[in-house]
Amino acid sequence: MPDERKAGSYSGGRPGIANANPFVRVWSEKDYRRLSVLMLVAGVSVSSAIPLVTLFLTGALGVGESAAGLFFLTSLCAPLVNLYTGALSDRMESRVSLVRGITVWLALGWALMGLSPHPAMAFAVGIVFVTFIGALNAQIFAVLRDVVERNGERREASVMSTVRTGYSFGWTLGPVLGSLVAGWAGYRVAFALTAALFLSALIPLAGLRVRRARRDREDRRGTEPARPKKMP
């Protein structure tokens, strides 16, 4: 039986795919394509809202400029969130469900941000919800690594950097989209759009089926202490 981990086995057996241009390789493989779209949407979602937060605090909630800048200190909680979600994903058979959960959590958070009547609620949303942005990015990259490992990708670095280009492109588009919506309909509508964008990330996730990399599971199993054998 042929080894399903050989490069090209997930590209429908099309000849020359493994050695094609990285963009052609990524677009020809359905899971790479889904992850590229996911990263694009994630990049647009995050970058469309983050630049508007201080403007929202000062313009809509009446917070002083110096106090509004303190909002970004809420990101100090992000390392704790990343540690917890990372440890959780290492115990899961597939990281995709965790990515879905974080995506919905962030959508809820930005929806609540747009509904915030007081600065205290906005800061609370930053601590409880917005700090998961880094965890989402880390888990998407980990899923990409699992797909690359599963496919036995020969051009691993090229494929991963090409897929990640979607996130960079999204960060370029996001501020333009966010500022246009905020200028046309206000900050609250812009945050509602961000929530909708995060929910739209569930679309490329819907067809993604990938287990955690086998090598990662074996390495983790190898680090577990051996259980003492019971004496007869």
Side-chain angles (χ1 to χ4, degrees):
M1 180 180 296
D3 186 0
E4 69 173 3
R5 290 171 57 87
K6 290 182 179 180
S9 61
Y10 283 80
S11 57
R14 295 170 61 185
I17 287 295
N19 299 318
N21 180 283
F23 288 98
V24 175
R25 172 72 179 119
V26 166
W27 192 251
S28 65
E29 217 286 340
K30 60 182 180 180
D31 284 344
Y32 292 156
R33 190 165 61 244
R34 289 188 180 109
L35 286 168
S36 297
V37 174
L38 176 60
M39 288 190 173
L40 174 64
V41 174
V44 172
S45 302
V46 174
S47 63
S48 66
I50 290 296
L52 301 178
V53 172
T54 52
L55 296 174
F56 172 66
L57 291 173
T58 56
L61 301 183
V63 178
E65 293 180 357
S66 57
L70 296 176
F71 175 86
F72 294 100
L73 291 179
T74 60
S75 62
L76 293 176
C77 300
L80 296 177
V81 173
N82 293 345
L83 286 174
Y84 174 76
T85 55
L88 178 61
S89 72
D90 287 342
R91 295 194 297 267
M92 300 177 71
E93 189 70 16
S94 174
R95 307 181 205 270
V96 176
S97 59
L98 181 58
V99 174
R100 290 194 186 102
I102 296 175
T103 300
V104 173
W105 188 250
L106 285 168
L108 177 61
W110 285 111
L112 290 174
M113 180 69 78
L115 296 174
S116 298
H118 303 291
M121 181 174 175
F123 276 83
V125 168
I127 295 172
V128 177
F129 294 92
V130 180
T131 50
F132 278 80
I133 288 175
L136 176 64
N137 297 338
Q139 293 307 312
I140 294 175
F141 294 154
V143 171
L144 173 59
R145 165 65 65 179
D146 291 341
V147 174
V148 167
E149 289 284 339
R150 181 199 67 187
N151 290 5
E153 187 60 58
R154 298 176 185 175
R155 304 177 63 182
E156 178 179 316
S158 297
V159 167
M160 293 189 69
S161 61
T162 301
V163 174
R164 291 182 180 188
T165 300
Y167 193 78
S168 301
F169 190 52
W171 265 90
T172 303
L173 294 177
V176 178
L177 177 62
S179 61
L180 287 175
V181 174
W184 170 65
Y187 300 121
R188 298 183 186 276
V189 174
F191 292 145
L193 174 63
T194 299
L197 286 171
F198 271 114
L199 289 178
S200 71
L202 296 175
I203 298 174
L205 282 170
L208 195 59
R209 300 287 185 273
V210 55
R211 294 176 179 268
R212 194 153 49 86
R214 180 183 302 176
R215 186 176 65 184
D216 181 46
R217 297 198 300 270
E218 291 175 349
D219 290 346
R220 183 173 177 80
R221 190 180 302 118
T223 59
E224 294 179 351
R227 296 181 179 179
K229 296 181 178 180
K230 294 182 178 180
M231 297 297 294

